[in-house]
Amino acid sequence: MKTNFLNRPSVIHDPPHVLENIVLGDPIPAKHFRLDVDHDGIAWLVFDTLKSSANIWNEETLREFNHHLEAVEHDTRVKALVLKSAKERIFVAGADIKLIRNLPHVRVNDLIWLGQAVFDRLARLRVPKIAAIHGACMGGGFEVALACDWRIASDHPSTKIGLPETQLGILPAWGGSTRLPRLIGIRKALDLIAGGKLLNAEAAKRAGLVSHVVAAENLDTLARRLARVRRPHLRFRFENLFSWFIGRTAKRKVLEKTRGLYPSVTKAVDVVSHAVHGDIDNGLLLEREAVAELIKSREASRLIDLFFKREEANKRPAATGTAIPIHDAVVIGAGVMGSGIAHTLASRGVRVLMTDVTNDSLARGLERIHGLVSEATRRRLVTRVKGRDTLDRISTTPVPVPLNRHHLVIEAATETMELKKKIFADLAGRVANDTILATNTSALSVAELARTVPNPERVIGLHFFNPVHRMPLVEVITLPETSPDVLATAITFVQKLGKTPVVVKDSPGFLVNRILIPYLMEAVRLHDSGIPVNDIDEAMLKFGMPMGPMRLLDEIGLDVAAHVAKSLAHAFPDRFPHTDALDRLVAAGHFGKKTGQGFYRYKDGREILPDVHYDLPRHESIQTNLALLISQEAMRCLKEGIARSADDIDLAMVLGTGYPPFRGGPITFARDTGIIDY
C-alpha cells in the first residue's frame, strides 16, 4: 500500500529531499512494534524493541511507527488506538541521544523533521488515541504521548514523565514545546521545559500532563473505557493570551539564574512563548529552527557527553569480582551524615540499623530523618505510603549488639581518626569475618583505618556528600588489598541507591576535595591580598559555578575547611596556596554560616547582604586564575592514577562540586581552551 504521508496536509510543507527517501524508502521489517486489533476495534500498538532494555526513537523506529499508523489509517475496523510498552520499567526513553550526538548536523535536522511529521500524523488520526504510560516517559517518549488525546499513567515508582531536553543543551522539538503549553498553560509548561523536570505519576497528574493514574494492572481496562468516550478538547487557557509578558518575565528570571550560560534554556523560553499561538505548524517550525541552532553549540556537545558519562557510571559493573546483594545495613552515627545515609538507604528499600552512643543522639537523628521524609511528602516527591515505609525500615539502638548477620556496616562518625579507629576496633569483635566495613570520610586515610581490623581486604571508603539525599556522587575509595568482591558489591550498592559511584584511590583528599581545596585556598589568598569577597564570588558565578568560593567556604564551615586544608598542605607542602586568613577567622570564633560570621555575616541563618561594588575588569583574571588551579589539580590526579579516567574526574567534579556542566568538567575545559597542556 503506497503511503500518502507526504501528500496530505501536515506540518511538512517543504520537507528536505532526504525525508522523502526516509519515509518512502524500502519497508522495514516489524522489529520494534506489535499491532493487534481486537474484537472491539481497539488497535493495540505495543513498543518493544528486541534485544534492548529500552524503547528509543531513531530513524528505524520512527519509520516502523509511521508504517503502523498508516495501517491504522486504512483499517476501517479501528475505532481507537492505544500506545503501550512491553518493557517493565520504560514506556519510551526518548530519542537515541547517542545517534544525535554522532550524526552530522544536517542529518539531525532530517531526524527532527521526521519525528515531527510522524507524531503530527498520529495527532491527526480521526480515532481516539490513548497513551498508556508505564515506566520512564521522557523527551520524545512524552512528545508522542502529547500527540494523543488521552494520557494515562501507572502509579509505579518507575513512571517518570517530562521533557528533560534542556539538560542536554537542546529543547523539545518533536512537538513538546508547542503542544505542552496548549495543554497545561504557558506558566507550567515553561517551568517544566526550562527546568528539564521529570515528575512522578501523581505529580504529573496534578500538573495536567496525564488525566488518570491507576495501578499498572488496570491501565488496559482504563484505556478500553476511554476508547469509548468522546475525545477531550483542549481547555482555553486565559493566561496564554499574555504569553509575551509571561515569557519576558520568565526569560529575565532564567537569565538571572543561568547568567546566559545555558542557551537552551533561554531559547526554550522564547520558543514556548511564541509557539503557544497560531497553528501547530508554526510552533513546530520554531522548534526546528531552534534545535538546529542549539545542536551545533559546544554547550550541547558537552552536556550530551556528560550525560553518557553519568549513564555509564550508573550502570557499569566492577571489572572483576561478584557483587553481593545488600538488603540490611548498619549505620554507625546518627549525626547529619549518618542520619542522611540511613534515610537514603531506607528510601531505597534497605533495612537499616542506626546506632549511636546515646538515645538523645538517636532521637535527633530520627528527627532529621522524619524531617526529610515530611519534606519529600509535602513536595509530593514520594507518597505518604512510601514515606511511612522508609521510616519503618529504620531501627535504632544505643547499645552494642551483635552485627554478624549484616553484610555491610557504614561508619559515619565525627571526622576524627582516633574515634574512627576505636569504632572499627570495636566493630571487629561484633561482625562476621566477611562483613564489609565502610567508612564515610572526606579526607582521613582509609588504609590507616583498615590496619585496625582483621581481614583489611573488606575495608572500603564510601564518601557521601552533604546533603546526602540531594548530592548524586559517592566516592568509592579503594586500597591495594581491597577484595574485588568488596569493590563490586560497593559499586552495585551505590548504584542501587540511585547514586553515581566514582572509584578513587586512597590518597589525601581523595579526588573531589583534593581538587577543590587548592581552588578555595587560592580564593582566600586573593581576598587576603585585598580583593573583595563579592568580586571573587561574582567572577566564579559568571564562570558557571553554582556558588562562589567564599560563600561555599562559609557553608562548609571555616573550621572544617581549615582542617582539610592543613591535611592536604602537609601531604603536598610545595603546591597548595598558603594563607593565615582562615586560621585567624577560626581563632576568632568565626566558623562561617553556623556561627553567624565568616567571609559574610548572617543573622538567623540568613545572609546580611553587604553593599556590593563589582570591579568587572578584574573578574576575567580571577576566573582564569581559579579555573586554572582546578584543571591543573585535576590533571595531576589523572597522572597519579587517583581516578580511573579523565571522564571519571570530570563527572566527579560536576556532580560533587557543581562544576559548570556545560564546560564538561575541568579536564575537558583544559582540553577545549588549551589553558594547560592536555
Side-chain angles (χ1 to χ4, degrees):
M1 182 186 299
K2 185 175 180 180
T3 181
N4 62 355
F5 179 55
L6 293 178
N7 299 324
R8 64 201 291 281
S10 81
V11 60
I12 305 301
H13 295 311
D14 186 21
H17 177 69
V18 70
L19 181 64
E20 185 174 355
N21 295 333
I22 291 173
V23 176
L24 300 180
D26 295 333
I28 294 178
K31 299 191 296 185
H32 307 283
F33 293 89
R34 299 191 303 274
L35 177 62
D36 295 299
V37 181
D38 67 18
H39 61 279
D40 291 324
I42 299 176
W44 299 86
L45 186 52
V46 182
F47 201 162
D48 186 15
T49 295
L50 301 178
K51 299 180 182 179
S52 174
S53 60
N55 295 325
I56 55 176
W57 292 120
N58 52 35
E59 181 182 313
E60 185 173 87
T61 54
L62 285 168
R63 282 186 59 193
E64 187 180 332
F65 186 60
N66 175 63
H67 170 75
H68 288 299
L69 292 181
E70 182 178 38
V72 169
E73 273 185 345
H74 291 86
D75 192 334
T76 57
R77 297 175 301 162
V78 175
K79 296 181 174 62
L81 172 65
V82 179
L83 301 183
K84 290 182 55 181
S85 166
K87 304 299 184 187
E88 290 185 7
R89 303 176 67 86
I90 293 177
F91 177 68
V92 186
D96 186 343
I97 302 300
K98 188 170 292 186
L99 174 69
I100 290 175
R101 177 69 177 90
N102 295 326
L103 276 178
H105 293 142
V106 66
R107 294 286 290 114
V108 174
N109 294 339
D110 293 339
L111 190 64
I112 298 301
W113 275 90
L114 177 61
Q116 287 190 343
V118 174
F119 292 175
D120 186 63
R121 182 177 204 164
L122 171 65
R124 290 170 182 265
L125 285 179
R126 296 181 179 179
V127 298
K129 304 166 291 291
I130 302 105
I133 301 167
H134 172 67
C137 177
M138 302 180 288
F142 184 49
E143 286 178 294
V144 74
L146 282 170
C148 294
D149 302 305
W150 299 96
R151 286 155 299 281
I152 60 178
S154 78
D155 59 4
H156 194 271
S158 66
T159 299
K160 302 291 182 184
I161 302 172
L163 299 169
E165 285 89 342
T166 55
Q167 302 293 320
L168 300 176
I170 52 178
L171 53 73
W174 280 342
S177 298
T178 299
R179 292 190 172 97
L180 186 61
R182 296 164 189 250
L183 176 69
I184 64 173
I186 187 171
R187 292 182 190 274
K188 288 182 181 178
L190 283 172
D191 182 53
L192 292 171
I193 292 174
K197 295 179 179 179
L198 294 177
L199 305 179
N200 61 30
E202 286 294 340
K205 181 182 177 183
R206 285 190 298 273
L209 306 188
V210 299
S211 59
H212 301 74
V213 175
V214 295
E217 58 269 24
N218 296 328
L219 273 178
D220 286 1
T221 302
L222 176 59
R224 189 177 294 278
R225 179 169 67 81
L226 293 175
R228 296 193 296 267
V229 303
R230 179 180 295 181
R231 287 188 284 176
H233 294 289
L234 285 178
R235 287 176 49 200
F236 172 70
R237 301 284 176 177
F238 184 74
E239 67 181 63
N240 290 354
L241 295 176
F242 302 94
S243 62
W244 62 273
F245 175 74
I246 295 171
R248 187 176 65 181
T249 302
K251 189 171 184 178
R252 185 176 68 248
K253 292 180 179 178
V254 161
L255 288 172
E256 289 174 359
K257 185 176 180 179
T258 69
R259 297 172 178 262
L261 297 172
Y262 293 85
S264 62
V265 182
T266 51
K267 183 68 71 174
V269 172
D270 285 337
V271 171
V272 171
S273 301
H274 291 88
V276 72
H277 297 298
D279 58 30
I280 294 289
D281 292 9
N282 291 333
L284 298 181
L285 173 62
L286 292 172
E287 292 181 2
R288 292 196 303 274
E289 290 176 343
V291 83
E293 175 186 337
L294 291 169
I295 199 65
K296 300 175 184 177
S297 68
R298 176 177 285 181
E299 290 84 0
S301 297
R302 294 295 162 257
L303 289 167
I304 291 172
D305 287 346
L306 196 65
F307 168 80
F308 286 124
K309 292 173 187 177
R310 187 172 182 180
E311 285 286 293
E312 182 185 1
N314 288 344
K315 297 175 182 177
R316 179 178 57 201
T320 60
T322 302
I324 301 170
I326 301 294
H327 304 294
D328 298 82
V330 179
V331 175
I332 308 294
V336 172
M337 291 303 296
S339 58
I341 293 169
H343 164 259
T344 296
L345 269 57
S347 68
R348 288 287 175 157
V350 179
R351 292 183 292 272
V352 181
L353 174 63
M354 184 170 67
T355 76
D356 211 313
V357 292
T358 67
N359 280 317
D360 286 345
S361 299
L362 290 169
R364 288 191 294 270
L366 284 174
E367 186 178 357
R368 278 187 286 268
I369 294 170
H370 275 271
L372 292 171
V373 171
S374 296
E375 180 189 8
T377 304
R378 178 179 57 80
R379 296 176 59 195
R380 295 185 169 90
L381 300 176
V382 300
T383 63
R384 292 185 181 276
V385 172
K386 188 172 181 181
R388 185 192 63 209
D389 290 345
T390 295
L391 295 173
D392 287 346
R393 293 189 190 103
I394 300 173
S395 57
T396 63
T397 179
V399 298
V401 295
L403 303 174
N404 54 321
R405 291 189 176 184
H406 294 82
H407 289 300
L408 173 67
V409 177
I410 302 176
E411 170 273 313
T414 306
E415 194 81 344
T416 305
M417 178 58 79
E418 292 308 313
L419 175 60
K420 289 181 182 286
K421 282 184 176 180
K422 182 179 178 181
I423 291 171
F424 264 58
D426 173 67
L427 283 173
R430 293 193 287 128
V431 300
N433 290 333
D434 60 350
T435 299
I436 298 173
L437 300 178
T439 177
N440 176 68
T441 176
S442 59
L444 298 179
S445 170
V446 178
E448 190 173 342
L449 275 175
R451 289 194 287 268
T452 65
V453 298
N455 311 111
E457 67 275 4
R458 58 176 166 162
V459 174
I460 200 163
L462 291 178
H463 178 204
F464 291 82
F465 288 73
N466 189 33
V468 180
H469 67 291
R470 291 181 182 169
M471 296 297 286
L473 178 69
V474 176
E475 289 181 324
V476 179
I477 303 130
T478 65
L479 305 172
E481 59 268 33
T482 299
S483 159
D485 289 349
V486 169
L487 177 57
T489 300
I491 290 173
T492 302
F493 180 67
V494 170
Q495 291 168 337
K496 175 184 176 180
L497 298 179
K499 305 291 186 183
T500 301
V502 171
V503 177
V504 301
K505 289 183 178 178
D506 184 34
S507 178
F510 309 131
L511 180 63
V512 170
N513 283 337
R514 158 84 179 269
I515 297 172
L516 190 64
I517 288 297
Y519 157 76
L520 295 176
M521 293 304 100
E522 176 64 9
V524 173
R525 190 195 65 78
L526 290 174
H527 174 55
D528 212 25
S529 71
I531 300 177
V533 292
N534 298 314
D535 274 333
I536 297 169
D537 279 353
E538 181 67 15
M540 296 316 293
L541 288 172
K542 287 181 177 178
F543 180 74
M545 299 296 270
M547 185 180 292
M550 313 308 288
R551 185 167 279 107
L552 178 59
L553 283 162
D554 276 1
E555 292 284 341
I556 293 171
L558 304 191
D559 52 335
V560 175
H563 173 73
V564 176
K566 285 178 182 177
S567 300
L568 288 174
H570 178 74
F572 308 101
D574 300 328
R575 200 164 69 247
F576 280 50
H578 177 72
T579 175
D580 295 327
L582 272 186
D583 293 335
R584 293 196 301 269
L585 285 167
V586 171
H590 300 158
F591 293 174
K593 190 174 182 179
K594 58 189 174 184
T595 60
Q597 186 160 345
F599 292 106
Y600 294 89
R601 294 177 59 211
Y602 306 85
K603 185 176 181 180
D604 298 327
R606 295 178 178 270
E607 181 185 329
I608 301 173
L609 296 176
D611 294 332
V612 176
H613 171 70
Y614 295 130
D615 186 349
L616 299 180
R618 183 185 283 157
H619 289 179
E620 187 172 345
S621 64
I622 294 173
Q623 283 183 15
T624 302
N625 184 9
L626 294 178
L628 175 63
L629 268 176
I630 294 175
S631 290
Q632 282 179 330
E633 201 61 37
M635 287 297 299
R636 288 192 182 101
C637 287
L638 180 63
K639 290 176 181 177
E640 293 172 21
I642 302 301
R644 297 182 292 189
S645 68
D647 286 352
D648 278 1
I649 293 174
D650 279 345
L651 185 63
M653 288 303 292
V654 170
L655 299 182
T657 72
Y659 189 94
F662 72 92
R663 299 190 187 275
I667 294 181
T668 296
F669 176 69
R671 180 190 66 207
D672 287 345
T673 61
I675 60 171
I676 56 177
D677 183 11
Y678 180 76

